[in-house]
Amino acid sequence: MKSRLLVAAFGLSVLLTGNIATAQMQSDTATVGSKLQKIDVKTGTGQEIAAGNNALVHYTGWLHDPLAAKEHGTQFDSSSGRPPFSFTVGAGKVIKGWDQGVVGMKVGGKRTLIIPPELAYGARGAGGVIPPNATLIFDVELVGIR
């Protein structure tokens, strides 16, 4: 199993977990499995989304696997080839990791969310596809706000 290292210097947190390493993580991040991690892959230039807005996103969902490339294990869902997925941010209609994870994104932005079980499906898992207590990774692109 690959080791995890959290480095904090001058108030900047950098997380190295296997293949994921970035200085763009939010300051509230910690090791996988303890808190939501938001990694901005591309900063958008459009309107910024906030709670109460209707988000239009494209996404791909993966099971976390520390031994896989970019720690993206088995893919379990994707909006690829479909219209963007729509949800009201903060309304509790999606997992908590999504409600919290997209806030602050700008249209055109891409973000990787690493969501611990307690902000995803927890001990129950989901639909025979997501096992109990699974950490999930979502690659999300904010394509619009209504």
Side-chain angles (χ1 to χ4, degrees):
M1 187 163 162
K2 296 183 180 182
S3 63
R4 292 179 174 88
L5 173 67
L6 180 62
V7 179
F10 306 106
L12 176 66
S13 294
V14 179
L15 176 67
L16 304 174
T17 58
N19 298 322
I20 296 176
T22 183
Q24 294 180 356
M25 286 190 184
Q26 304 296 322
S27 61
D28 64 345
T29 62
T31 57
V32 169
S34 62
K35 289 189 180 182
L36 172 66
Q37 296 177 47
K38 301 177 273 187
I39 304 166
D40 287 315
V41 176
K42 175 185 173 190
T43 302
T45 58
Q47 180 183 354
E48 185 173 314
I49 196 153
N53 293 145
N54 191 325
L56 297 168
V57 299
H58 276 298
Y59 68 91
T60 302
W62 311 84
L63 297 176
H64 176 258
D65 179 351
L67 302 178
K70 296 184 182 179
E71 298 190 17
H72 288 57
T74 303
Q75 180 181 320
F76 59 83
D77 195 10
S78 178
S79 66
S80 179
R82 297 184 289 191
F85 176 69
S86 173
F87 70 100
T88 302
V89 178
K93 300 296 182 184
V94 294
I95 59 174
K96 290 178 183 180
W98 271 46
D99 269 340
Q100 296 173 16
V102 300
V103 171
M105 287 184 75
K106 292 183 179 181
V107 173
K110 294 181 179 182
R111 182 176 281 176
T112 296
L113 303 175
I114 304 174
I115 305 173
E118 60 272 16
L119 296 178
Y121 297 98
R124 73 182 186 278
V129 177
I130 299 172
N133 299 310
T135 295
L136 306 178
I137 297 178
F138 284 94
D139 294 324
V140 179
E141 177 182 10
L142 182 60
V143 296
I145 299 173
R146 287 195 230 156

